[in-house]
Amino acid sequence: MHHPRHLALLATLILASAGLAAADGDLERGKEINGTCAACHGEFGQGGKKGEYPRIAGQPVRFIEATLKSFRARQRVNLPMYPYTQEREMGDQDIKDVAAYLAAIELPTKPPEFKDSDDALTRLQAMDKVMIVPRPEGNPEAGGRHYKAACAACHGKTGLGRGIFPRLMGQYTNYLAKQMTAFLAGERPHDEDQPGTGALHPLSDSDRQDILAYLTTLQNPEDTP
């Protein structure tokens, strides 16, 4: 027979495990919620319309949660997102679930090797998950230096993001350029305590374009200068 203290300890461990699972979010429920997001951001969170809708797959959980809540509170103004993030549409647990689901999605950066037996539908579905961002104009080597000096402390050495700071690697270049413009114009908060003092402000237009060029090299680490 089990000693009562052993049973109590077992029950505690089971409850703790259940609590951790809940804290991480329900992936199946998150996948269901993502059905609404997929209309714009794609089935796999890969974004759409060549960056009009950004990639959200693989973003840090905390970043996704904080962003959805900021849309809901209108702290970050994004009118198309507002109706979807209202409490009646997406409560805190829904946000946690969809954030966990999206964060867990890995999008390959190279086309898979198909077998002769793979039919057209199989090939099409596999290619839908491939995330390849074309190399834009700019000097990747110079961009790498600027990125490491101005961006890496928050977004990570390889642009994967961390905590509340978003992933930049694998994001559409035109979307990132649009966000840079919004940061510089003060339309979206970045890192500055006072207007004009953020990490992007000392950089020239050319410097920022070089950073965008550098970020596309991070899709395939072996190509990184």
Side-chain angles (χ1 to χ4, degrees), residues 35-102:
T36 300
C37 311
C40 295
H41 293 280
E43 180 183 357
F44 308 109
Q46 71 271 34
K49 293 189 176 180
K50 298 182 179 180
E52 180 178 342
Y53 302 108
R55 168 186 178 158
I56 52 179
Q59 289 287 3
V61 168
R62 286 179 57 201
F63 169 73
I64 299 174
E65 291 180 356
T67 301
L68 289 174
K69 289 179 180 179
S70 68
F71 288 149
R72 188 171 68 189
R74 295 199 181 189
Q75 294 169 336
R76 177 178 169 186
V77 178
N78 188 311
L79 295 181
M81 285 295 302
Y82 181 69
Y84 298 107
T85 54
Q86 290 308 285
E87 190 72 36
R88 66 179 182 276
E89 299 292 338
M90 186 177 288
D92 287 349
Q93 187 59 50
D94 292 331
I95 286 176
K96 188 179 292 293
D97 292 344
V98 75
Y101 173 73
L102 288 168

Side-chain angles (χ1 to χ4, degrees), residues 9 30 36 38 51-52 63 66 76 116 121 137 159 161 203 215:
L9 176 59
T36 300
E52 180 178 342
F63 169 73
R76 177 178 169 186
D116 292 340
L121 179 59
E137 294 183 2
L203 300 172
L215 286 170

Side-chain angles (χ1 to χ4, degrees), residues 184-218:
L184 292 167
E187 297 170 358
R188 181 180 170 187
H190 194 234
D191 64 322
E192 58 267 32
D193 293 325
Q194 297 179 356
T197 63
L200 291 174
H201 288 274
L203 300 172
S204 67
D205 290 344
S206 178
D207 294 338
R208 291 189 287 271
Q209 185 62 39
D210 289 345
I211 289 175
L212 294 175
Y214 169 72
L215 286 170
T216 63
T217 71
L218 297 178

